[in-house]
Each structure stands twice: as C-alpha cells, then as structure tokens.
Amino acid sequence: MKKSLRTNQFITTMKISIFIILLFSWSSVYSQTRSITGTVSDSETKETLPGATILIKGTTNGTTTDINGNFTLAVSGPSAILLVSFIGYEDKEINTENQSVINIQMITQKTMLDQVVVVGYGTQKKSDVTGATATIKGSELTKQPVLTATQALQGKVAGVQIIGSSQPGSSPIVRIRGTGTMLAGANPLFIVDGVITSDINNINSNDIVNINILKDASSTAIYGMRAANGVVIITTKQGNTGKLKVSYNGNVGFRSAVNLVEMANADEYSNYVNSTALNMITPDMMGESTDWFSEILRTGMQQNHSISLQGGTDKAKYFLSLGYLEEQGIVINNDFKRFTARANNEFTVSDKVKIGTTASFSNGNKQDVNLGAAYNDAYRAGPIIASKVDGRYGNTSAFQNVGNPILDIENNDNQTIENRLQASGYIEYKPIDWLSLRSTIGGDLGSRNSRVYGFAFQNDTKTFLIDGGNQYRKLSDLSINKANEFRWVWDNTATYSKKIDKHNITALAGMTAEKYSYERLYGQRSDVPASRNLWYLDVGDPNTSHNGGNGDKWSRNSYLGRINYSYNDRYLFTGTIRADGTSRFPEENRWGYFPSLGVGWLISKESFMADQMVFETLKLRASWGRVGNDNIPTDSYQLTVSTNAAYPFSNAGIATIGSAITDIKDPNLRWEVTEETDLGIEFTSLSGSLSGEFGFYNKNTNDALINVRIPGVLGDQDSYVVTNAASFRNTGLEFALNWRKEVTSKLYYNIGGNFTFNQNEVTGLNGGQPFLDGNIGAAQGAVTRTDNGQPIGSFYVLQVLGIFQNDEEIQNYKNADGTLIQPTARPGDFKYKKNTTTGEIDPINDRVYVGSYQPKFYFGLNSGITYGSFDLSLDIYGNVGNQVYNAKKAFRQEILDNVEKDQAYNRWTTSNQSQTEPRANSGRQLASTYFVESGTYFRINNMTFGYSIPEAILKRINISNLRVFVTSQNLYTWQKYSGFTAELPGGPTNSGIEMNAYPNSRTIALGVNVDF
C-alpha cells in the first residue's frame, strides 16, 4: 500500500512537473516575437491597396499598408490571427501559421466607400480630403493602345479636359478646370515618384499604379508654384514580398485614318475651276483623278510590349520592367519608337529606417514629316496631276503654285532622338511611431538630337513628269539641333501623425529646392552628300555654314507646411502654407506666399443620420486657396545688351561700332496668382452601389502675364513687353456618378459618367491691348482675339449674313450716308455684316466675336460588365459648345487650288442660288463666320473585350493569370465639323484652328496579359 501510494505520488509529481515544463514552453513559444511582412492587393485587378488596416485578433496591435500596399507587423506566437480590412472590401481573417511572408488579396464589397489617395507629400483617406481630387487606377489606363497615360485619361475625370492628337510621339494637351493663363504655361504640374517633370511621354503606362489629380487650390497649394493649372501625381509600381512574379503585357494592332475630307475629283475640280476662269482646264490636260490624301496616308502598324519582374523579402523589395512601343503613323514616313526601362527598389534597414530608389530610362526615335508642306499641298493640289510615275513626280507647280506632297515627304529626312533618365532616392527615418523624417532627391536628365536633311533634286524630266517645279533644290541642306536639359529636386519633410482620443492630427513641415538648366546648339550647312554616313556639319560647303545656340537656367527654393485635423472622424480641417522663391522674377518680387484652407463635414456620421436608409456616406467640403505661376522666359525682366551695333555719330554718316540696349522690359515682374474657391458634396448610397460627387469652383487668375504693345514713341510699334496686366476667370460645375452592382458571384457591372461645365472669361486687361493670334496668312490675318468679357482665344471674324443673289442686292447694301458697303462684290459673293457706321466693309474693325475653342461642357461615360471569365468595357467622350476654325479652307489662295467635294457640288450658281456656299472663287477670302464651325463631337473612345483563362486550367501550366483581349481606340466619332478632326491642340490663344492638323486615326489591336 505504501509503495503504491509512493508510486502514485511520484506519478502525480511527474505530471505536475511536465505540466509546468509544458506551460513554460508554451508560454515561451508564444512570448517569442517575430516579424511578418506582406502585401495587400485587389483580388481582381491585382493592384496594391495603400492604407489597408492589419490588426492582430484580440489585441490593439496593428499597422497599415504603405503607399505601395506593403506592411510589416511584429506578432507573438506561431498562429496569430490577422484581421485585414480596407474600405470598399470585405474583411478578412488570416492565420499566420508560422509564416513570415503573407500576401493578401481582398475581395470588393458591394458597398463602395472611400479609398486612400495620394496628396502632396503623403496620403489621406478620401473621406478626410477637403479638396477636389480624383484617382484613376493603372489598370484603367492600360486598356487603351496609346502612347501616354494622359491620353488614356480622356473622359475619366470631371474637370479634366484632354485634347489629343494621333500624330506618333505627340503629347496631348491637358487642361484642368479651364485655361487660366496666356503666357505662363497652361499645362499642369507632373510629378512622377516625387520627381517634377514637364510631361510623361517617357513613362510606360504598364508601370503605373495610379494617377492622382489635384484640381483645386486647397489640394494643390502644397506645391505652390506652377500648381495654378492643377497637379498630376503618378505613382509607379514597387516590389512585393514573396516569390518572384513575372508579368507580360502586350498588344499588336493597326491604325487607319478616319473622318477624311472628301476632295473634288478631276471632273468636279475642272468644272469648278472653269467656272472661275473659262476653259482654263482643257480636255487634253485631264489625266487620271488623283486622291492626294490617299497618296500620303496609309494603314500603320502599332505594337506595345512590356515585361516586369516583381518580388522581394521583408528586407528588400524590387520591381524591374522593360517596355517597347512602336507606332507607324498614318502619314507615310512618319514613325515613332520608344524603349523604356525601370528599376524601383526599397530596402528596410531596420524598424526605423527605410531606403528607396527609383530609376527609369527611355529612348525615343521619331521619324517626322513636314505636315505644314505635305498636308497643305495635299489639300490644295489639283487632282488632274499624277502623284508619281516610274519614280518621277507629278509637277503640280507647273500647273499651280503648290508642291507635290509626295515629294515633300520623300525628299526630306527628319529624325529626332530623345533620351531621358529620371531617378530618385529617399531615406525615411521613424525615431518614434508618430514622427517620420524623409529626405528625397530626384533628377531628370534629358537630351534631344534632331537632324533634318533635304535631298537635292533637279527640275527636269528626270525628276518630274514635266519640266519645271517650285520644289527644285540645287543643293542639299542639313540642319542639326542638339539640346540637353537637367533638373534636380530635393525635398525634406517631417510628418507628425497621432490620434488622441477623438482628435486626429497630421502635421507636415518641409523645405524643397529645385534647379533647372538647358542648353541648345544648332548648325546648318548646304551641299552635304546624300550618304547618311556623311551627315555632319563639317561636310559640305563651308561657305554656307550657319551656327548658333541658346540656353536657360533658373532655380527655386520653397518652404511648406500643412496640418490635417479631424474631430471624431466627422469634422475636418486642412490648412496649408507654402513660400516660394524663384529666380525668374526680380529680387524684390521673387517670393510668393500661397495659403489654403479646407473644411469638411461627414454628415453621415452624425447621430441624426443613424436611422436614415439613403446614404452610407455623405460629406460636404469647402476650400479656398492661392497658387502661383512663374513659367515665363527667365530673361523676361532682364535687359540685354546687343554688341557690334553700328551707330553714325556725325553728319558724314561714319558708323562707330558699339553696344546698346535694344529691348524694353518690365523690371517689376511679379507672380501670376490664381485664387480659387471650391464647394463639393460626396456620397455613397444604396449599399454602396451608387457613389457620386458634385462640385462648384470659381477660379480667378490675377496679375496675369501678357504681352502689351510698346507705344511707338518708345520703339518699334511691332514690339511687345511682358508685364502683369490681365486677369481671367474660370467658373464651373462638376458632376460624377458611378454605379457598381454585383448581380451574382459571376456577374457584376458598372457604369459611370462625369460632366463638366466651364465658363472662361477675360475679366480685365488693365490697360493692355487685346491680344491677336492664330495668324492664317493670305487675306485672313489673325483670327483669334483675347479681350475683356470674352473667353481666351476667341474667334474674331466678319459675320456672314448670306450671299448676294444679284446686282440689285449689292447696289442696295448701303450705309446710312449712301455709301456702298461692298462695291466690288459680285453675285454669289458673301454679304458681310457692317458693324461700324461709315464707309465700306472694314476687314478688321467690322469683325465680331463668335465663340472660342473652349467647350461649354464636356463629359465622359465609362461602363463595364464581367460575366465569369468574360469582360467588356466601353468608354465614351464628348465635347459640346465650342467652335473650331477651318483654316485649310481659308488658306486656299489660287484659282487652280482644289476644293472639297461639298464646295464643288453646292456652290452658288445662277441656277443654284445657295445662301451658304459662295460661287466658284480663287480663294483669298476674308476671315468670316463661314470658316467657323461647331466643334461639338461625340466619340467611342475605347472598347475592350477580354477573356481570362479559368484558374483551374492555369494551375496545370503554372500560370497565375492569363487574359486575352481585343481593343479599339477612337472606334467611331460623330462630329458636326466638316474637317478632319474637331480635336485641335494648340496654345492658350490659338487652339481650335485646323491648318495642318494630323487626321484622327482608329486603332484595332489584339493583346494579352500574363502573370507567372
């Protein structure tokens, strides 16, 4: 019995000991802290989600993902549970199970609430933003086979107007909330991974995570200078923790011209011309009818390929990509090729220190054509002349003063090579959880080398079908331009972020410096041999050499601060101040100060909204701010001295060589300042299926820089001086609505639209004279005028009342004093409105304003549907209420110039007494409303149909994603305009004029997206 008792005691003691040991072991295991890293992304688009929340279940220990969707979290125990949440996505629980790297894919909720957006020098939840911003995902941009991501933005964002061109290698014009300047640059500020740049032609769209657009002064004021036209922030892809991911995205297709203008054929042309000059074209002169536009246009191939590698560990992440794009223009001999490379890296040195680098390189090779000659000649050349026969050119100039457009293109070699290197690096130090110190330095180095060679050719029958030719070139001609530019930007910021009870505060302070330099050298020489190996400036006739160059250099220095405050997650405040100094203004005016204030109210979080069933979120916001613009020539205020000037000091006229100041400049130039007020409301409703945003803005530009004519007593009357002497206003309304619905687990669809109404007005020239631009030449002169009470760049022409039907109407058209208003008119000529009180019609002073290129409103419609593995998307864009000028018609100036088919058929005759189309004429008509047409158009911008291979099949071939698609760009356009395209880029004061516009093209392409 005692032995048994002792045995039981021993066993009991052993059990207790083992239990204690196991308990300590268990406790020891769970007390061990380990680090987990990973990435949170969208399960459908695979795009990373910045600002997602990761918590350890049952604790308050957690973190949020950074701007690239990455996170690092310290956990205890082998199987801690992670709770992952992100607004607009279903919550997720993840068992860590001794894993150190976890990549999490989130599924979209039926409710669409706020997202995290990139703002200046940081990020914010969309619900906390008090300014007007918009975000476009990179996956939306890559659907379209276009050169730049900015072109793919067309129709995606309210308040953002994109005016594109089909010309290979060209950048679209971007206008955010109207045109608010004449001389100081109307383009927005582009920022790519923290590096300021002038355009994004060098960026591969497949490398972009998202584009954030800051529209109002409250959101842009943190950038102060150059932010007057809005800010476009581009974030490129970064590495992820986990295994290597290899992706390929590519498409190949063809592009062809659309909306071509139909010209008169040989019979119609000869009939028209002979109506002007009897029997000028005889039957023996008639050959085969030549369609000159068909001769210079073609179907071009386009292709775009991109491959990327993405991966990393908790200590180092990397993203590498290579891209190749090729565009054959629809005009012969017009091509563009671009190669891109990118390397983005991030290194976690410790829990407190992080280092990152980005680097991108692009090489663009453009083979250009002289559209000014070829396009204009193709429009005017007579169709009775052959284009080219047996290697010889049809001599159009033997019949009329127009060159052969084929010869214009084929006998000029115009090549431009651009290299661009952008790089940045940062170091981020977090000494404590609520404080982050960051220093970023970035550079943008670019070179542009262009070479234009004109071949020599004779004016005999060896070259032309007929002797003669105004295109005769006895000697070849070589022109070379070499330009280099470099910009560096250094940003240093400190960010404080802390939540104390119901108070959430984020404060930012920093300084930034920027410097830019540019240098250009050029040279010309004639009689250079035709061999491309000899195209150098030291070859040829040295007596024909001409060399020169120019350059630019400026710098900026800035100090900035911002505070974001929210109380109880419903009352919001943002305050920003930035001080900018620039070398582009005189010393006493170099510094500008740009403040902004923004407030917001999340009404949906109030207690009185608790029981309502209409809105999930409802926010009101209001803001005010000022931003600046200094984008003018650096020497605008600096007097320059001309050397080697000859001046006669005596009556004998003997000249003495010396130096003199030959220009007049304003030494008191100052900042051009834009002040803007913004009001908006944002909401989600119907379980998040419906979301929307409505906004109003009033944007005033004061002290605008314009050219003012110098009085004759001070110098040349054709000279101008740049000074602050104007003001402009843009007032507008923005609407955006989006509907997203998941019908079943396999079927969901979305449809959205945005609409922008904008009114532009010159509110004061303050002593300056109206500014004329858009010079057509011939009898037209300048056709735009910027003046008080009118939009910038308004068309200013004579008003056509109709067409004189007989001599009696001409004789009865008199002034009050009995003077014939148009004494030289003939039946069939235009009848112009007389707006002055005396004399004959005045081609200048009797003009009236008839609208501008700026639309009354523009809109975009975007929709998509997914069923199982199939997806279909459709994007539509429209432009309403603007005017365009058909300058190619106006430039017709010879009797024998060709005409459009509509002119040939519908012209005035004694039997067809038209009130809209004049009689057959020799051109050189006055600038009038006849040439001003509606610029309204409506276009299917993009349609894409795709099929994703089912996951079960992909697993067998070790591929994670495979999608094939067919896509179209500019599928179809409805327009009122009779010309090639109503989408006509240009400067602030001369847009909307079709003289040598590149015809619009339609692209159809096949593509594939693969992830390994």
Side-chain angles (χ1 to χ4, degrees), residues 216 261 273 302 312 399 403 518 565 613 674 682 685 709 726 760 769 883 885 966:
D216 73 318
V261 174
V273 170
Q302 74 88 31
F399 187 66
Y518 169 83
Y565 170 78
M613 304 298 291
T674 296
E682 303 168 11
S685 183
R709 187 184 296 275
N760 177 269
Q769 298 84 23
Q883 308 298 318
Y885 198 86
V966 58

Short mmCIF file of all heavy atoms in Angstrom, two decimals, residues 216 261 273 302 312 399 403 518 565 613 674 682 685 709 726 760 769 883 885 966:
data_model
loop_
_atom_site.label_atom_id
_atom_site.label_comp_id
_atom_site.label_asym_id
_atom_site.label_seq_id
_atom_site.Cartn_x
_atom_site.Cartn_y
_atom_site.Cartn_z
N ASP A 216 -8.20 71.53 -57.17
CA ASP A 216 -8.50 72.84 -56.59
C ASP A 216 -7.28 73.41 -55.86
O ASP A 216 -6.30 72.70 -55.60
CB ASP A 216 -9.70 72.76 -55.66
CG ASP A 216 -9.35 72.05 -54.36
OD1 ASP A 216 -8.63 71.03 -54.43
OD2 ASP A 216 -9.76 72.51 -53.29
N VAL A 261 -11.64 64.12 -95.19
CA VAL A 261 -12.36 65.09 -96.00
C VAL A 261 -12.33 64.63 -97.46
O VAL A 261 -11.26 64.28 -97.98
CB VAL A 261 -11.72 66.48 -95.87
CG1 VAL A 261 -12.37 67.47 -96.83
CG2 VAL A 261 -11.83 66.98 -94.43
N VAL A 273 -13.10 75.04 -111.50
CA VAL A 273 -12.09 76.00 -111.93
C VAL A 273 -12.55 76.73 -113.18
O VAL A 273 -12.39 77.96 -113.30
CB VAL A 273 -10.74 75.30 -112.17
CG1 VAL A 273 -9.74 76.23 -112.86
CG2 VAL A 273 -10.17 74.79 -110.85
N GLN A 302 0.93 49.26 -85.11
CA GLN A 302 1.37 49.69 -83.79
C GLN A 302 1.52 48.46 -82.91
O GLN A 302 0.78 47.49 -83.02
CB GLN A 302 0.40 50.70 -83.19
CG GLN A 302 -0.91 50.13 -82.69
CD GLN A 302 -0.84 49.67 -81.24
OE1 GLN A 302 -0.10 50.23 -80.45
NE2 GLN A 302 -1.61 48.66 -80.91
N GLY A 312 10.58 40.17 -53.70
CA GLY A 312 11.37 40.68 -52.60
C GLY A 312 11.14 39.93 -51.31
O GLY A 312 10.39 38.94 -51.25
N PHE A 399 1.43 73.60 -112.86
CA PHE A 399 0.03 73.88 -113.13
C PHE A 399 -0.53 74.88 -112.12
O PHE A 399 -1.45 75.63 -112.42
CB PHE A 399 -0.74 72.56 -113.06
CG PHE A 399 -2.18 72.67 -113.48
CD1 PHE A 399 -2.50 72.97 -114.81
CD2 PHE A 399 -3.20 72.50 -112.58
CE1 PHE A 399 -3.81 73.09 -115.19
CE2 PHE A 399 -4.52 72.61 -112.97
CZ PHE A 399 -4.83 72.90 -114.28
N GLY A 403 3.31 72.52 -104.20
CA GLY A 403 4.28 71.45 -104.35
C GLY A 403 3.62 70.09 -104.37
O GLY A 403 2.48 69.90 -103.92
N TYR A 518 19.33 74.35 -69.19
CA TYR A 518 19.03 73.93 -70.58
C TYR A 518 20.06 74.57 -71.50
O TYR A 518 20.43 75.74 -71.34
CB TYR A 518 17.62 74.37 -70.96
CG TYR A 518 17.29 74.22 -72.43
CD1 TYR A 518 16.88 73.00 -72.95
CD2 TYR A 518 17.38 75.32 -73.30
CE1 TYR A 518 16.57 72.87 -74.30
CE2 TYR A 518 17.07 75.18 -74.64
CZ TYR A 518 16.67 73.96 -75.15
OH TYR A 518 16.37 73.82 -76.47
N TYR A 565 -6.54 68.01 -39.60
CA TYR A 565 -7.14 67.74 -38.29
C TYR A 565 -8.57 67.24 -38.48
O TYR A 565 -9.32 67.75 -39.33
CB TYR A 565 -7.16 69.02 -37.45
CG TYR A 565 -7.98 68.90 -36.18
CD1 TYR A 565 -7.47 68.23 -35.07
CD2 TYR A 565 -9.27 69.44 -36.11
CE1 TYR A 565 -8.22 68.11 -33.91
CE2 TYR A 565 -10.02 69.33 -34.96
CZ TYR A 565 -9.49 68.66 -33.86
OH TYR A 565 -10.25 68.53 -32.72
N MET A 613 -31.89 55.55 -44.28
CA MET A 613 -31.51 54.40 -45.11
C MET A 613 -31.06 54.84 -46.50
O MET A 613 -30.95 54.00 -47.40
CB MET A 613 -32.70 53.44 -45.23
CG MET A 613 -33.26 52.97 -43.90
SD MET A 613 -32.04 52.03 -42.93
CE MET A 613 -31.92 50.57 -43.95
N THR A 674 -3.29 82.63 -58.86
CA THR A 674 -4.64 82.11 -59.06
C THR A 674 -5.28 81.84 -57.71
O THR A 674 -4.71 81.15 -56.86
CB THR A 674 -4.62 80.80 -59.87
OG1 THR A 674 -4.12 81.08 -61.19
CG2 THR A 674 -6.01 80.22 -59.99
N GLU A 682 -19.97 64.82 -51.56
CA GLU A 682 -19.64 63.46 -51.97
C GLU A 682 -20.53 62.49 -51.20
O GLU A 682 -20.84 62.73 -50.03
CB GLU A 682 -18.16 63.15 -51.68
CG GLU A 682 -17.19 64.11 -52.36
CD GLU A 682 -15.78 63.97 -51.83
OE1 GLU A 682 -15.51 63.00 -51.10
OE2 GLU A 682 -14.93 64.84 -52.12
N SER A 685 -24.46 55.54 -51.73
CA SER A 685 -25.84 55.21 -51.40
C SER A 685 -26.17 53.82 -51.93
O SER A 685 -25.39 53.21 -52.67
CB SER A 685 -26.78 56.25 -52.03
OG SER A 685 -28.12 56.01 -51.70
N ARG A 709 1.61 95.87 -76.21
CA ARG A 709 2.30 96.56 -77.29
C ARG A 709 3.02 97.80 -76.77
O ARG A 709 2.48 98.57 -75.97
CB ARG A 709 1.31 96.96 -78.39
CG ARG A 709 1.98 97.55 -79.65
CD ARG A 709 0.93 98.01 -80.63
NE ARG A 709 0.12 96.91 -81.13
CZ ARG A 709 0.47 96.14 -82.16
NH1 ARG A 709 1.62 96.36 -82.78
NH2 ARG A 709 -0.32 95.17 -82.57
N ALA A 726 -3.33 91.55 -66.70
CA ALA A 726 -4.59 90.92 -67.10
C ALA A 726 -5.12 90.07 -65.96
O ALA A 726 -4.42 89.74 -65.00
CB ALA A 726 -4.39 90.07 -68.35
N ASN A 760 -15.20 80.38 -69.27
CA ASN A 760 -13.93 81.10 -69.23
C ASN A 760 -14.16 82.53 -69.68
O ASN A 760 -14.89 82.78 -70.64
CB ASN A 760 -12.90 80.41 -70.14
CG ASN A 760 -11.59 81.15 -70.21
OD1 ASN A 760 -11.38 82.00 -71.07
ND2 ASN A 760 -10.69 80.82 -69.31
N GLN A 769 -3.63 95.96 -74.41
CA GLN A 769 -4.42 95.90 -75.63
C GLN A 769 -4.89 94.47 -75.89
O GLN A 769 -4.25 93.52 -75.45
CB GLN A 769 -3.59 96.38 -76.83
CG GLN A 769 -3.11 97.81 -76.74
CD GLN A 769 -1.84 97.95 -75.93
OE1 GLN A 769 -1.11 97.01 -75.77
NE2 GLN A 769 -1.61 99.15 -75.39
N GLN A 883 -16.17 76.12 -80.69
CA GLN A 883 -16.06 76.41 -82.11
C GLN A 883 -14.65 76.06 -82.60
O GLN A 883 -13.69 76.08 -81.82
CB GLN A 883 -16.33 77.88 -82.39
CG GLN A 883 -17.63 78.42 -81.81
CD GLN A 883 -18.85 77.73 -82.38
OE1 GLN A 883 -18.93 77.49 -83.58
NE2 GLN A 883 -19.81 77.40 -81.52
N TYR A 885 -11.96 76.54 -86.24
CA TYR A 885 -11.76 77.36 -87.44
C TYR A 885 -11.17 76.50 -88.55
O TYR A 885 -10.09 75.91 -88.41
CB TYR A 885 -10.82 78.53 -87.13
CG TYR A 885 -10.91 79.64 -88.15
CD1 TYR A 885 -11.87 80.64 -88.02
CD2 TYR A 885 -10.05 79.69 -89.25
CE1 TYR A 885 -11.97 81.66 -88.95
CE2 TYR A 885 -10.13 80.71 -90.18
CZ TYR A 885 -11.10 81.69 -90.03
OH TYR A 885 -11.20 82.71 -90.95
N VAL A 966 -9.26 42.00 -77.17
CA VAL A 966 -9.24 42.82 -78.37
C VAL A 966 -9.72 44.20 -77.96
O VAL A 966 -10.66 44.34 -77.17
CB VAL A 966 -10.13 42.23 -79.49
CG1 VAL A 966 -11.58 42.08 -79.02
CG2 VAL A 966 -10.08 43.10 -80.74
#
